[in-house]
Structure formats: C-alpha cells, structure tokens
Amino acid sequence: MSDLMPSQLQAFLPCETPQQWIEAALQNERILLIDHAQCEKKAASTAMNLMYRYVDRPELLTKMAQLAREELLHFEQVVKIMLKRDIAYEHLSASRYAEGLRRYVRANDPDRLVDILIVGAFIEARSCERFAKLIPHLDEDLGKFYRSLVKSEGRHFEDYLELAEQYAETSIESRVAFFSECERELIQSYDTQFRFHSGLPTAA
Ligand SMILES: [Fe+2]
Ligand SMILES: [Fe+2]
C-alpha cells in the first residue's frame, strides 16, 4: 500500500481497495466529489450526534468537537473545489457502505458506543486509504488537497480506535475482527452504484 499512510492503519484494514474501484473513480470525478462532500458532512454529524448522546465522557466530547470542526472544514474545501470545476451539488442516494456496517451495532451501552466508535474507525481508515490510492492519479490541485486529508483522516482513525479501547469493558479485538469481515465483504463485492465507499463496480 501507499507509504502516505500510517502502518497501523494499513494493518487495520482487511484488504486494499480494488484497482477497478480506482479506475471507476477516475472516470466519475463528478460523483466522486459530490459523494465525498456528503461523506464529510455526515462525518461531522456523526461526531455531533455522539456529543449529544454521551455528555458524561469528556475525552469523547473534546475529540469529537475537534473532529467535527475538521470534517466541516473538509466539507467547505470540497464544495470550493466543486465550484471551481463547475460541478453542481445535487442529491445522491447514500452508498450501502456505512449502513452495511452500522446495522450490526449492538443496542445497549456501552456496547453500542464501542461499536459506533469501531465503525467510525473503519470509515476513517478506508477513506484515508482511498485518498492515498487516488493521489498519484490526480491533478495537482486535487492531489494536494487529498494529501492533506490523508493526514487528518489518519488521525481520526486513531481517535476513534483509542476511544473504543477506552470505553470498552473488555478487549475490542473480537468486535474489530467482526466488523473487519463485514468491511471486507462491502469492499470486495459488486455494488450497483459508484460512490466514495462503494465496492467493486458492476460491468457497464
Ligand atoms: Fe474529513
Ligand atoms: Fe475524518
């Protein structure tokens, strides 16, 4: 994998993004950027939701407040790039990815919180890996932006994972292994629509 990414993150992900996805992304820059903007916005609101629900956990509150600010800044940056490229922001249906992981979140706390944090770690890690994989193929402007994102999404991955370890009553190893298998399946199976976190593209 790319040397842009922290080794802990590379070891965490169950598989590399398939080359077919990279090719589809390069052919669908418009959808890539619109869905990327959506992902940044959702990342900010996930962090905000955690801040509303878990007011009694100060480390979570401070880390999520910082994370939400960074995600909103990324959102603003993507929107500016879209404007420069004459890409109109339109509604896109959500990819199956995040829901495909969240559906397995357990119902009661602290299990619920731990699972949400582990899912957050996977989403951040996969985003970081995809930015890194795209960089060598991008123009200078987008390449520079994605390089800065690799750094912050790498930190977000660590934050989520550390919080999950902190709040779990036992080792998180088996839950990480479980979500890792789900993630692999979502990345390596065929997906009907191209999105930032989609699986293998179906033949056109
Ligand atoms: Fe972000
Ligand atoms: Fe992030």
Side-chain angles (χ1 to χ4, degrees):
M1 265 195 239
S2 166
D3 55 2
L4 289 162
M5 280 184 294
S7 55
Q8 194 205 359
L9 187 151
Q10 294 193 26
F12 181 75
L13 285 174
C15 61
E16 281 188 56
T17 285
Q19 191 55 33
Q20 295 98 306
W21 182 89
I22 306 287
E23 282 154 25
L26 298 172
Q27 285 161 18
N28 286 288
E29 187 183 283
R30 190 183 73 88
I31 306 264
L32 178 79
L33 287 173
I34 298 174
D35 198 47
H36 176 186
Q38 284 295 107
C39 291
E40 299 291 2
K41 203 164 46 172
K42 275 190 208 146
S45 72
T46 299
M48 295 280 294
N49 286 338
L50 288 170
M51 288 162 60
Y52 277 107
R53 191 171 174 118
Y54 300 99
V55 290
D56 56 341
R57 302 188 190 239
E59 294 86 359
L60 179 141
L61 295 179
T62 51
K63 279 189 172 159
M64 289 301 113
Q66 191 190 348
L67 190 142
R69 284 206 309 274
E70 289 181 12
E71 305 296 18
L72 282 179
L73 176 64
H74 299 163
F75 174 73
E76 197 183 323
Q77 289 169 317
V78 186
V79 168
K80 279 186 185 150
I81 287 182
M82 285 166 57
L83 266 176
K84 263 202 257 176
R85 293 175 190 222
D86 252 336
I87 296 171
Y89 198 146
E90 57 178 75
H91 280 287
L92 286 183
S93 56
S95 94
R96 65 177 184 170
Y97 179 80
E99 186 43 42
L101 294 171
R102 287 201 185 112
R103 58 194 288 209
Y104 299 111
V105 167
R106 290 167 293 178
N108 300 313
D109 279 318
D111 294 343
R112 180 180 185 275
L113 172 61
V114 170
D115 284 358
I116 292 172
L117 294 168
I118 292 171
V119 167
F122 275 103
I123 297 174
E124 296 290 343
R126 180 60 67 189
S127 307
C128 185
E129 188 250 1
R130 291 204 158 171
F131 292 132
K133 282 231 159 190
L134 286 168
I135 288 167
H137 308 284
L138 301 174
D139 58 79
E140 207 187 320
D141 199 30
L142 199 54
K144 200 173 144 207
F145 174 45
Y146 276 17
R147 234 184 296 273
S148 73
L149 292 182
V150 167
K151 290 205 187 95
S152 49
E153 311 307 0
R155 255 187 295 110
H156 296 168
F157 151 73
E158 281 172 11
D159 285 346
Y160 272 121
L161 204 57
E162 281 167 18
L163 288 171
E165 279 162 355
Q166 182 178 342
Y167 295 133
E169 285 168 335
T170 54
S171 162
I172 61 170
E173 212 177 307
S174 65
R175 287 312 278 170
V176 169
F178 170 79
F179 281 110
S180 178
E181 223 13 79
C182 304
E183 214 265 352
R184 180 204 301 280
E185 170 67 22
L186 290 162
I187 294 300
Q188 293 184 334
S189 61
Y190 285 98
D191 211 337
T192 49
Q193 52 190 8
F194 172 77
R195 294 290 184 267
F196 188 82
H197 290 110
S198 55
L200 281 169
T202 43

